[in-house]
Amino acid sequence: MHLDEKIWLTLSFGMIMIFMFITGYQTFALEMGPPSNNELIDPQKVDETAPFDEPGIKQVGENEYEVVMTLQVFSFNPMDIEVPAGSTVHFILTSKDVVHGFEIAGTNVNAMVMPGHIQKITQKFDEPGKYLVLCNEYCGAGHQVMSTTITVK
Ligand code: CUA
């Protein structure tokens, strides 16, 4: 083997090892890995499975709310929720059919909602206003009309 080949082999193998080490360090030491929420649900039985048998908004503490929501082609249930300014809202989401998105414009909330999985995400709403909620995963012919609002007042 040529010396040049040995150098390139060593360099490329070394780079792979370095990249793998960086990724491992970020995932395990810095906890930057993707969240792995293993709460599962039978997507055929969402309507009968708690808490999704009663979708809606519920106060769970001072300035704290829980929103149990189902996503389906092409709507959110419940629609058009309202919370007081300063509220922390825990969203508990699942899909009844295909993959949908849950994005709240103007916030960092941007979640993928998959059938068979329970998605949880928390957001504090300080600024009063009407927040647009969008599905940002293509889910069929009516995807572009799949939206609702969260009113903070
Ligand atoms: Cu639901 Cu796109």
Side-chain angles (χ1 to χ4, degrees):
M1 215 188 314
H2 275 284
L3 180 63
D4 285 356
E5 273 183 288
K6 277 186 189 157
I7 291 171
W8 279 113
L9 278 173
T10 310
L11 276 180
S12 49
F13 185 72
M15 278 167 71
I16 291 171
M17 294 313 286
I18 289 168
F19 293 151
M20 278 170 51
F21 175 80
I22 291 172
T23 304
Y25 178 76
Q26 287 178 326
T27 305
F28 298 108
L30 303 179
E31 295 185 340
M32 285 166 66
S36 51
N37 190 340
N38 285 324
E39 280 184 80
L40 303 177
I41 182 170
D42 183 344
Q44 307 280 336
K45 299 202 178 101
V46 169
D47 287 333
E48 299 108 82
T49 309
F52 299 102
D53 51 347
E54 285 176 50
I57 177 165
K58 172 169 99 190
Q59 188 162 11
V60 292
E62 204 188 334
N63 296 325
E64 207 168 341
Y65 295 82
E66 193 176 86
V67 172
V68 173
M69 186 181 273
T70 62
L71 286 75
Q72 53 274 306
V73 286
F74 300 101
S75 65
F76 300 83
N77 180 28
M79 299 281 273
D80 302 320
I81 59 173
E82 282 184 21
V83 292
S87 306
T88 298
V89 183
H90 306 285
F91 294 95
I92 303 170
L93 313 161
T94 197
S95 167
K96 289 169 73 173
D97 37 49
V98 296
V99 176
H100 296 282
F102 184 77
E103 175 177 353
I104 307 176
T107 72
N108 283 334
V109 173
N110 186 354
M112 194 187 233
V113 182
M114 292 185 293
H117 292 259
I118 296 173
Q119 177 69 276
K120 289 182 174 170
I121 193 159
T122 295
Q123 174 68 28
K124 188 162 188 276
F125 293 94
D126 287 321
E127 294 292 316
K130 207 169 205 171
Y131 292 75
L132 183 63
V133 179
L134 291 169
C135 173
N136 58 12
E137 294 285 338
Y138 182 73
C139 54
H143 162 70
Q144 73 278 4
V145 300
M146 186 166 167
S147 70
T148 184
T149 60
I150 296 170
T151 304
V152 178
K153 48 182 192 183

PDB file of all heavy atoms in Angstrom, residues 71-76 98-101 135-140 142-144 146, ligand 1:
ATOM      1  N   LEU A  71     -55.982  15.338  16.894  1.00  0.00           N
ATOM      2  CA  LEU A  71     -55.812  15.900  15.562  1.00  0.00           C
ATOM      3  C   LEU A  71     -56.321  14.869  14.570  1.00  0.00           C
ATOM      4  O   LEU A  71     -56.076  13.670  14.746  1.00  0.00           O
ATOM      5  CB  LEU A  71     -54.344  16.215  15.280  1.00  0.00           C
ATOM      6  CG  LEU A  71     -53.753  17.453  15.991  1.00  0.00           C
ATOM      7  CD1 LEU A  71     -53.504  17.179  17.451  1.00  0.00           C
ATOM      8  CD2 LEU A  71     -52.487  17.917  15.313  1.00  0.00           C
ATOM      9  N   GLN A  72     -57.054  15.316  13.595  1.00  0.00           N
ATOM     10  CA  GLN A  72     -57.593  14.429  12.577  1.00  0.00           C
ATOM     11  C   GLN A  72     -57.771  15.236  11.313  1.00  0.00           C
ATOM     12  O   GLN A  72     -57.798  16.457  11.374  1.00  0.00           O
ATOM     13  CB  GLN A  72     -58.928  13.810  13.038  1.00  0.00           C
ATOM     14  CG  GLN A  72     -59.989  14.812  13.511  1.00  0.00           C
ATOM     15  CD  GLN A  72     -59.844  15.168  14.983  1.00  0.00           C
ATOM     16  OE1 GLN A  72     -59.815  14.292  15.818  1.00  0.00           O
ATOM     17  NE2 GLN A  72     -59.744  16.456  15.292  1.00  0.00           N
ATOM     18  N   VAL A  73     -57.910  14.542  10.179  1.00  0.00           N
ATOM     19  CA  VAL A  73     -58.086  15.271   8.919  1.00  0.00           C
ATOM     20  C   VAL A  73     -59.401  16.033   8.988  1.00  0.00           C
ATOM     21  O   VAL A  73     -60.439  15.424   9.170  1.00  0.00           O
ATOM     22  CB  VAL A  73     -58.058  14.343   7.690  1.00  0.00           C
ATOM     23  CG1 VAL A  73     -56.655  13.866   7.383  1.00  0.00           C
ATOM     24  CG2 VAL A  73     -59.004  13.163   7.885  1.00  0.00           C
ATOM     25  N   PHE A  74     -59.471  17.297   8.860  1.00  0.00           N
ATOM     26  CA  PHE A  74     -58.408  18.289   8.834  1.00  0.00           C
ATOM     27  C   PHE A  74     -58.712  19.300   9.930  1.00  0.00           C
ATOM     28  O   PHE A  74     -58.984  20.452   9.662  1.00  0.00           O
ATOM     29  CB  PHE A  74     -58.385  18.980   7.447  1.00  0.00           C
ATOM     30  CG  PHE A  74     -58.132  17.966   6.337  1.00  0.00           C
ATOM     31  CD1 PHE A  74     -59.172  17.487   5.546  1.00  0.00           C
ATOM     32  CD2 PHE A  74     -56.830  17.464   6.140  1.00  0.00           C
ATOM     33  CE1 PHE A  74     -58.922  16.541   4.554  1.00  0.00           C
ATOM     34  CE2 PHE A  74     -56.590  16.528   5.137  1.00  0.00           C
ATOM     35  CZ  PHE A  74     -57.632  16.063   4.351  1.00  0.00           C
ATOM     36  N   SER A  75     -58.724  18.820  11.174  1.00  0.00           N
ATOM     37  CA  SER A  75     -59.125  19.711  12.258  1.00  0.00           C
ATOM     38  C   SER A  75     -58.429  19.355  13.559  1.00  0.00           C
ATOM     39  O   SER A  75     -57.797  18.301  13.686  1.00  0.00           O
ATOM     40  CB  SER A  75     -60.644  19.641  12.475  1.00  0.00           C
ATOM     41  OG  SER A  75     -60.996  18.343  12.925  1.00  0.00           O
ATOM     42  N   PHE A  76     -58.560  20.277  14.501  1.00  0.00           N
ATOM     43  CA  PHE A  76     -58.081  20.080  15.860  1.00  0.00           C
ATOM     44  C   PHE A  76     -59.319  20.011  16.755  1.00  0.00           C
ATOM     45  O   PHE A  76     -60.277  20.736  16.549  1.00  0.00           O
ATOM     46  CB  PHE A  76     -57.220  21.275  16.312  1.00  0.00           C
ATOM     47  CG  PHE A  76     -56.007  21.517  15.460  1.00  0.00           C
ATOM     48  CD1 PHE A  76     -56.104  22.231  14.276  1.00  0.00           C
ATOM     49  CD2 PHE A  76     -54.764  21.053  15.859  1.00  0.00           C
ATOM     50  CE1 PHE A  76     -54.975  22.466  13.498  1.00  0.00           C
ATOM     51  CE2 PHE A  76     -53.635  21.282  15.083  1.00  0.00           C
ATOM     52  CZ  PHE A  76     -53.746  21.990  13.900  1.00  0.00           C
ATOM     53  N   VAL A  98     -53.630  10.181  10.396  1.00  0.00           N
ATOM     54  CA  VAL A  98     -52.296  10.231   9.787  1.00  0.00           C
ATOM     55  C   VAL A  98     -51.393  11.178  10.590  1.00  0.00           C
ATOM     56  O   VAL A  98     -51.812  11.718  11.610  1.00  0.00           O
ATOM     57  CB  VAL A  98     -52.386  10.692   8.307  1.00  0.00           C
ATOM     58  CG1 VAL A  98     -53.158   9.683   7.479  1.00  0.00           C
ATOM     59  CG2 VAL A  98     -53.002  12.076   8.207  1.00  0.00           C
ATOM     60  N   VAL A  99     -50.183  11.359  10.117  1.00  0.00           N
ATOM     61  CA  VAL A  99     -49.253  12.259  10.801  1.00  0.00           C
ATOM     62  C   VAL A  99     -49.683  13.701  10.569  1.00  0.00           C
ATOM     63  O   VAL A  99     -49.917  14.124   9.437  1.00  0.00           O
ATOM     64  CB  VAL A  99     -47.810  12.059  10.286  1.00  0.00           C
ATOM     65  CG1 VAL A  99     -46.871  13.073  10.931  1.00  0.00           C
ATOM     66  CG2 VAL A  99     -47.335  10.644  10.558  1.00  0.00           C
ATOM     67  N   HIS A 100     -49.830  14.459  11.660  1.00  0.00           N
ATOM     68  CA  HIS A 100     -50.134  15.883  11.585  1.00  0.00           C
ATOM     69  C   HIS A 100     -49.032  16.665  12.287  1.00  0.00           C
ATOM     70  O   HIS A 100     -48.188  16.096  12.987  1.00  0.00           O
ATOM     71  CB  HIS A 100     -51.474  16.188  12.261  1.00  0.00           C
ATOM     72  CG  HIS A 100     -52.656  15.551  11.607  1.00  0.00           C
ATOM     73  ND1 HIS A 100     -53.229  16.042  10.456  1.00  0.00           N
ATOM     74  CD2 HIS A 100     -53.365  14.451  11.945  1.00  0.00           C
ATOM     75  CE1 HIS A 100     -54.250  15.270  10.114  1.00  0.00           C
ATOM     76  NE2 HIS A 100     -54.359  14.289  10.993  1.00  0.00           N
ATOM     77  N   GLY A 101     -49.087  17.972  12.120  1.00  0.00           N
ATOM     78  CA  GLY A 101     -48.148  18.848  12.815  1.00  0.00           C
ATOM     79  C   GLY A 101     -48.910  19.750  13.759  1.00  0.00           C
ATOM     80  O   GLY A 101     -50.102  20.012  13.582  1.00  0.00           O
ATOM     81  N   CYS A 135     -51.233  23.020  11.156  1.00  0.00           N
ATOM     82  CA  CYS A 135     -50.683  21.697  10.871  1.00  0.00           C
ATOM     83  C   CYS A 135     -49.587  21.903   9.829  1.00  0.00           C
ATOM     84  O   CYS A 135     -49.841  22.472   8.779  1.00  0.00           O
ATOM     85  CB  CYS A 135     -51.769  20.783  10.321  1.00  0.00           C
ATOM     86  SG  CYS A 135     -51.121  19.200   9.759  1.00  0.00           S
ATOM     87  N   ASN A 136     -48.393  21.458  10.160  1.00  0.00           N
ATOM     88  CA  ASN A 136     -47.299  21.669   9.201  1.00  0.00           C
ATOM     89  C   ASN A 136     -46.727  20.355   8.667  1.00  0.00           C
ATOM     90  O   ASN A 136     -45.596  20.298   8.229  1.00  0.00           O
ATOM     91  CB  ASN A 136     -46.192  22.531   9.819  1.00  0.00           C
ATOM     92  CG  ASN A 136     -45.640  21.912  11.073  1.00  0.00           C
ATOM     93  OD1 ASN A 136     -45.919  20.750  11.365  1.00  0.00           O
ATOM     94  ND2 ASN A 136     -44.855  22.650  11.820  1.00  0.00           N
ATOM     95  N   GLU A 137     -47.531  19.300   8.745  1.00  0.00           N
ATOM     96  CA  GLU A 137     -47.146  18.046   8.100  1.00  0.00           C
ATOM     97  C   GLU A 137     -48.206  17.780   7.044  1.00  0.00           C
ATOM     98  O   GLU A 137     -49.410  17.735   7.376  1.00  0.00           O
ATOM     99  CB  GLU A 137     -47.137  16.885   9.106  1.00  0.00           C
ATOM    100  CG  GLU A 137     -46.086  16.981  10.186  1.00  0.00           C
ATOM    101  CD  GLU A 137     -44.695  16.662   9.679  1.00  0.00           C
ATOM    102  OE1 GLU A 137     -44.578  15.980   8.637  1.00  0.00           O
ATOM    103  OE2 GLU A 137     -43.727  17.119  10.314  1.00  0.00           O
ATOM    104  N   TYR A 138     -47.774  17.571   5.810  1.00  0.00           N
ATOM    105  CA  TYR A 138     -48.767  17.348   4.763  1.00  0.00           C
ATOM    106  C   TYR A 138     -49.602  16.107   5.093  1.00  0.00           C
ATOM    107  O   TYR A 138     -49.074  15.022   5.270  1.00  0.00           O
ATOM    108  CB  TYR A 138     -48.105  17.180   3.390  1.00  0.00           C
ATOM    109  CG  TYR A 138     -49.153  16.991   2.335  1.00  0.00           C
ATOM    110  CD1 TYR A 138     -49.934  18.069   1.927  1.00  0.00           C
ATOM    111  CD2 TYR A 138     -49.411  15.741   1.807  1.00  0.00           C
ATOM    112  CE1 TYR A 138     -50.934  17.896   1.001  1.00  0.00           C
ATOM    113  CE2 TYR A 138     -50.418  15.563   0.869  1.00  0.00           C
ATOM    114  CZ  TYR A 138     -51.172  16.653   0.474  1.00  0.00           C
ATOM    115  OH  TYR A 138     -52.181  16.469  -0.444  1.00  0.00           O
ATOM    116  N   CYS A 139     -50.940  16.301   5.215  1.00  0.00           N
ATOM    117  CA  CYS A 139     -51.783  15.202   5.684  1.00  0.00           C
ATOM    118  C   CYS A 139     -52.938  14.895   4.743  1.00  0.00           C
ATOM    119  O   CYS A 139     -53.826  14.121   5.080  1.00  0.00           O
ATOM    120  CB  CYS A 139     -52.299  15.524   7.091  1.00  0.00           C
ATOM    121  SG  CYS A 139     -53.125  17.112   7.235  1.00  0.00           S
ATOM    122  N   GLY A 140     -52.943  15.491   3.568  1.00  0.00           N
ATOM    123  CA  GLY A 140     -53.993  15.160   2.618  1.00  0.00           C
ATOM    124  C   GLY A 140     -54.525  16.403   1.926  1.00  0.00           C
ATOM    125  O   GLY A 140     -53.981  17.495   2.063  1.00  0.00           O
ATOM    126  N   GLY A 142     -56.933  18.395   2.372  1.00  0.00           N
ATOM    127  CA  GLY A 142     -57.367  19.562   3.131  1.00  0.00           C
ATOM    128  C   GLY A 142     -56.304  20.101   4.067  1.00  0.00           C
ATOM    129  O   GLY A 142     -56.601  20.907   4.956  1.00  0.00           O
ATOM    130  N   HIS A 143     -55.088  19.658   3.887  1.00  0.00           N
ATOM    131  CA  HIS A 143     -53.993  20.052   4.791  1.00  0.00           C
ATOM    132  C   HIS A 143     -53.915  21.567   4.989  1.00  0.00           C
ATOM    133  O   HIS A 143     -53.745  22.053   6.109  1.00  0.00           O
ATOM    134  CB  HIS A 143     -52.674  19.497   4.253  1.00  0.00           C
ATOM    135  CG  HIS A 143     -51.463  20.145   4.807  1.00  0.00           C
ATOM    136  ND1 HIS A 143     -51.066  19.966   6.107  1.00  0.00           N
ATOM    137  CD2 HIS A 143     -50.561  20.987   4.235  1.00  0.00           C
ATOM    138  CE1 HIS A 143     -49.955  20.680   6.311  1.00  0.00           C
ATOM    139  NE2 HIS A 143     -49.642  21.289   5.207  1.00  0.00           N
ATOM    140  N   GLN A 144     -54.061  22.313   3.879  1.00  0.00           N
ATOM    141  CA  GLN A 144     -53.849  23.763   3.983  1.00  0.00           C
ATOM    142  C   GLN A 144     -54.946  24.484   4.748  1.00  0.00           C
ATOM    143  O   GLN A 144     -54.761  25.615   5.164  1.00  0.00           O
ATOM    144  CB  GLN A 144     -53.670  24.392   2.586  1.00  0.00           C
ATOM    145  CG  GLN A 144     -54.921  24.504   1.740  1.00  0.00           C
ATOM    146  CD  GLN A 144     -55.251  23.197   1.029  1.00  0.00           C
ATOM    147  OE1 GLN A 144     -54.593  22.191   1.219  1.00  0.00           O
ATOM    148  NE2 GLN A 144     -56.285  23.216   0.201  1.00  0.00           N
ATOM    149  N   MET A 146     -56.158  23.152   7.597  1.00  0.00           N
ATOM    150  CA  MET A 146     -56.104  22.627   8.961  1.00  0.00           C
ATOM    151  C   MET A 146     -55.418  23.625   9.876  1.00  0.00           C
ATOM    152  O   MET A 146     -54.189  23.684   9.950  1.00  0.00           O
ATOM    153  CB  MET A 146     -55.387  21.271   8.980  1.00  0.00           C
ATOM    154  CG  MET A 146     -55.421  20.593  10.332  1.00  0.00           C
ATOM    155  SD  MET A 146     -54.928  18.868  10.235  1.00  0.00           S
ATOM    156  CE  MET A 146     -54.699  18.516  11.983  1.00  0.00           C
TER     157      MET A 146
HETATM  158 CU1  CUA B   1     -52.948  17.860   9.333  1.00  0.00          CU
HETATM  159 CU2  CUA B   1     -51.592  18.759   7.566  1.00  0.00          CU
END
